[in-house]
Amino acid sequence: MHNGPNKFFLLATVVLACTVPLASAKTMLQLPNHSNWLIDHSSGPAASEPCQGNAQVQVWLPKDQASPALATLAKWAEHPLAKYVGCLSYRWYASADELRCQAQGQRQHQRCDLALLPGEVTQRQLVFLNLPATQIASTDSWQMVLPVHASVDVLAHEMGHWLGFADEYSMSLGLAQNFCRGRYEHPSLNVVVTDKHNYSATELKQLWQRLPWRTAVDHWQLLGRQDASGAWQLGSTASTDVGLFASATCAAVPGVYSWKPVAEMTAMEYHDVNVWPSIYFDLLENFTGPQK
């Protein structure tokens, strides 16, 4: 199985519509929302015209059951995160058996042993599956597996991981043991961890300087509240727009505290709320920005 590069990298290319030439003898499906992505449903995999720059993500679609996924992808093209991910290329499969997928890990996530062409080994792989066992969307640094009926909100949450955003809900113990102890190879733009809840003024200043969202916090004192002993208890007040707010990310790991930049629930905690605060886009712009 090809696992791809170990290093988690950010994607920073403009979303460009990939098309295939029209053919009068073939039935073509045009995606909604005025997209000019044209998919050939009659002849299997369609050769798309080159994107302006290499496609960073390749999408695998079931040939005879792709309609729900195509509708989701059409909505994704209009999502504010899409410009940070880039152009998508496509491959079609006739049977899920071709993908050699198996359930793995504590939550039985699907992982597929994809047969990649030489030009595809540097692409991330997004696989839409229509299998009863595929109930949970999952993403690692190289492969994303989604149910074929996954909503655009689920897709956006999982794409958020590829862009550098960590889960803000409580991670499973297996994931949390690594992430919350600092054993991970990808950037975490929206979650930081500490090993205690009370800091000295010097320690709090140092934490402020290390925050990915430091430029949005005017003063280090906004990150906590000073008690009678002079120590600072971590956590911003509710009136602070961007600061330091507890997240549930590391709840499974004793002695570790996790923090996010905003108080409100975001799409990285629960995808259905579809809330992407402006500071999250500022973080993307500061870290990479879309390619012009």
Side-chain angles (χ1 to χ4, degrees):
M1 176 175 179
H2 179 81
N3 292 320
N6 289 327
K7 184 172 178 62
F8 189 111
F9 58 93
L10 294 185
L11 308 176
T13 53
V14 178
V15 170
L16 301 168
C18 299
T19 63
V20 294
L22 286 171
S24 58
K26 297 178 180 178
T27 301
M28 309 298 291
L29 172 65
Q30 184 164 1
L31 300 185
N33 293 343
H34 307 290
S35 171
N36 63 339
W37 293 357
L38 299 175
I39 306 300
D40 183 345
H41 268 192
S42 64
S43 61
S48 61
E49 294 179 354
C51 300
Q52 296 180 18
N54 294 327
Q56 300 280 2
V57 177
Q58 178 165 252
V59 182
W60 295 72
L61 294 165
K63 181 179 177 183
D64 297 326
Q65 300 168 318
S67 294
L70 290 173
T72 293
L73 290 168
K75 294 176 182 177
W76 167 250
E78 305 299 324
H79 196 281
L81 286 182
K83 68 179 180 179
Y84 300 98
V85 172
C87 181
L88 308 178
S89 61
Y90 297 88
R91 281 189 63 176
W92 298 82
Y93 62 90
S95 168
D97 293 340
E98 301 172 23
L99 307 183
R100 296 173 294 184
C101 302
Q102 293 184 339
Q104 298 180 0
Q106 179 181 352
R107 296 191 178 183
Q108 293 293 283
H109 294 151
Q110 292 284 329
R111 282 293 171 266
C112 304
D113 185 7
L114 303 173
L116 299 179
L117 300 172
E120 298 167 346
V121 296
T122 59
Q123 293 176 301
R124 283 177 164 148
Q125 306 296 320
L126 165 54
V127 181
F128 282 95
L129 282 181
N130 192 18
L131 291 175
T134 310
Q135 302 297 326
I136 300 176
S138 64
T139 303
D140 61 23
S141 62
W142 184 246
Q143 186 179 118
M144 182 190 306
V145 178
L146 297 180
V148 73
H149 291 279
S151 69
V152 70
D153 293 339
V154 171
L155 175 59
H157 176 96
E158 299 302 326
M159 286 290 196
H161 288 309
W162 278 352
L163 292 171
F165 295 119
D167 286 324
E168 294 171 358
Y169 59 78
S170 180
M171 288 183 174
S172 64
L173 182 59
L175 291 175
Q177 288 283 15
N178 287 322
F179 178 86
C180 301
R181 299 295 185 188
R183 296 189 294 268
Y184 56 93
E185 296 181 352
H186 58 82
S188 174
L189 300 182
N190 62 318
V191 174
V192 298
V193 297
T194 66
D195 59 3
K196 57 184 179 179
H197 201 273
N198 293 290
Y199 271 29
S200 68
T202 298
E203 290 171 326
L204 189 57
K205 291 176 185 177
Q206 292 172 345
L207 174 62
W208 175 57
Q209 292 170 349
R210 294 195 304 268
L211 287 179
W213 55 90
R214 178 202 179 287
T215 57
V217 182
D218 292 334
H219 198 279
W220 63 270
Q221 292 180 339
L222 293 173
L223 302 181
R225 287 160 285 186
Q226 192 173 29
D227 62 25
S229 69
W232 288 82
Q233 182 178 357
L234 297 185
S236 300
T237 62
S239 61
T240 305
D241 291 333
V242 178
L244 199 67
F245 298 91
S247 80
T249 306
C250 294
V253 182
V256 178
Y257 305 91
S258 51
W259 309 91
K260 59 180 184 172
V262 296
E264 64 187 317
M265 180 182 289
T266 79
M268 291 311 298
E269 181 174 358
Y270 188 58
H271 65 265
D272 278 352
V273 303
N274 193 30
V275 172
W276 294 93
S278 59
I279 183 60
Y280 287 49
F281 294 99
D282 293 341
L283 288 167
L284 287 175
E285 291 288 341
N286 292 339
F287 200 88
T288 175
Q291 190 176 68
K292 303 298 184 183

